[in-house]
Amino acid sequence: MSENQFIKNCVAYCLAQSFDISALAGLLSDSTLIRIIKGALLIEDDQSWSVIFAYGAVVHWNVSLEQQSKLHQLLLDHAENPLTSPEEDNFTFTLDCPGTRIIEDHIEIESSDPILIFALSQGMAQSIKLASFETNALTTINNTSYIPKSLAENGKIKLSRHKIAKIRGQLFLTKSDIILNYDLLDTPDFFWEYPEYEAFYGVTAKYLEIAQRTDVLSKKLETIHELFEMLADEQKHRHSSILEWIIIWLIAFEIGMTIFDKVL
């Protein structure tokens, strides 16, 4: 058995909303062999690879925990909105296999071609970014699940206008962040130039069920949108009620003044 056929570790992380790839490329190029591929960085070092994606994900192949930690610190120094709880997904892999496939989180890879590794990393990075979206959407839905329940039980939402406005803002931020980055879950543009590698991307995308999970995420976004609309209607209703009471009191005041004038 060759050294390449030993089982090695692979791990994907989502650490932040995004990375400054240009700044990172400038810093890393002085001391590390890197390739810039379609807005991503591929770091190579003696049968070890780290692939950094602009949307806040990084995939490590046969990289020690110490090296991962050092790189993550650099990434976080050039990150926008670092995650308080980073997402992580672990695999094992073996090189120089008869073909490329994934079985029970073990990846068999037919060669150590860096572009093949990059293609596989595309699907893994999308999956871990999708996991971040899923966590964000689910947390938002769970934190606001009492709203429709309150409406069903009491016929109204027992929250102040200020609180409703804050919740609407949070729902909007969650929805807009996911929608603005939704195209990240499509087949990457990289494969327009390297169509011969798209099948390798398909191996990870299929195994990690990116298409099915994206559909489920869409339904969660619909739930968030419905909550947003529900709160918007509640705000409109409260505003209308206040205006109605103001009009009623003005009419009552005018009637009172008319009666007062006639009595005098």
Side-chain angles (χ1 to χ4, degrees):
M1 179 183 288
S2 69
E3 183 180 346
N4 277 351
Q5 291 177 311
F6 288 126
I7 294 176
K8 303 175 176 69
N9 291 316
C10 172
V11 58
Y13 294 96
C14 185
L15 301 176
Q17 182 178 329
S18 63
F19 297 135
D20 185 342
I21 291 293
S22 297
L24 288 166
L27 290 168
L28 291 167
S29 60
D30 293 335
S31 58
T32 311
L33 176 61
I34 66 168
R35 300 189 194 189
I36 302 175
I37 309 174
K38 284 290 184 180
L41 297 181
L42 172 61
I43 302 173
E44 301 178 60
D45 182 19
D46 188 26
Q47 297 295 296
S48 297
W49 302 268
S50 289
V51 189
I52 305 166
F53 294 90
Y55 49 81
V58 58
V59 183
H60 299 292
W61 300 82
N62 193 32
V63 178
S64 69
L65 290 175
E66 182 182 359
Q67 289 174 305
Q68 290 181 31
S69 180
K70 287 181 180 178
L71 182 57
H72 288 184
Q73 187 55 59
L74 180 64
L75 294 178
L76 292 172
D77 287 341
H78 296 82
E80 182 178 346
N81 296 332
L83 302 183
T84 53
S85 299
E87 299 287 344
E88 177 180 345
D89 203 0
N90 290 274
F91 304 85
T92 56
F93 75 99
T94 308
L95 296 169
D96 295 339
C97 297
T100 299
R101 62 178 184 168
I102 306 177
I103 303 175
E104 296 182 352
D105 290 351
H106 178 72
I107 310 168
E108 297 179 355
I109 307 174
E110 59 198 64
S111 79
S112 56
D113 175 4
I115 303 302
L116 192 163
I117 297 293
F118 182 82
L120 292 170
S121 299
Q122 291 266 11
M124 298 167 73
Q126 282 184 330
S127 176
I128 204 66
K129 186 67 176 181
L130 179 56
S132 174
F133 289 154
E134 290 167 335
T135 298
N136 199 2
L138 186 60
T139 299
T140 300
I141 290 171
N142 288 340
N143 288 345
T144 54
S145 61
Y146 65 92
I147 293 174
K149 184 177 180 181
S150 174
L151 191 61
E153 292 177 352
N154 307 306
K156 61 180 181 179
I157 300 172
K158 294 183 177 181
L159 295 170
S160 67
R161 293 179 65 194
H162 178 68
K163 183 67 173 176
I164 288 175
K166 285 185 68 175
I167 295 173
R168 281 187 69 197
Q170 182 58 50
L171 290 171
F172 180 78
L173 285 174
T174 300
K175 186 176 73 169
S176 61
D177 176 50
I178 295 173
I179 289 175
L180 288 173
N181 292 283
Y182 215 67
D183 60 335
L184 297 176
L185 306 178
D186 294 334
T187 301
D189 293 342
F190 168 78
F191 297 107
W192 286 99
E193 295 183 20
Y194 296 88
E196 65 273 23
Y197 287 94
E198 187 170 352
F200 299 112
Y201 161 76
V203 169
T204 51
K206 182 179 179 180
Y207 179 80
L208 295 167
E209 300 181 328
I210 290 176
Q212 298 94 316
R213 289 164 59 200
T214 300
D215 289 340
V216 173
L217 181 62
S218 295
K219 292 180 173 60
K220 290 177 182 176
L221 284 175
E222 289 174 11
T223 300
I224 291 174
H225 179 72
E226 289 169 2
L227 283 167
F228 183 86
E229 292 298 316
M230 186 187 301
L231 291 170
D233 290 341
E234 179 69 11
Q235 277 194 309
K236 289 176 185 176
H237 174 71
R238 292 190 183 188
H239 184 65
S240 297
S241 296
I242 291 171
L243 290 177
E244 287 172 3
W245 277 108
I246 290 173
I247 292 170
I248 290 170
W249 281 108
L250 286 173
I251 292 172
F253 178 75
E254 186 176 351
I255 292 173
M257 290 298 296
T258 301
I259 294 172
F260 181 75
D261 288 341
K262 287 184 178 181
V263 169
L264 292 179

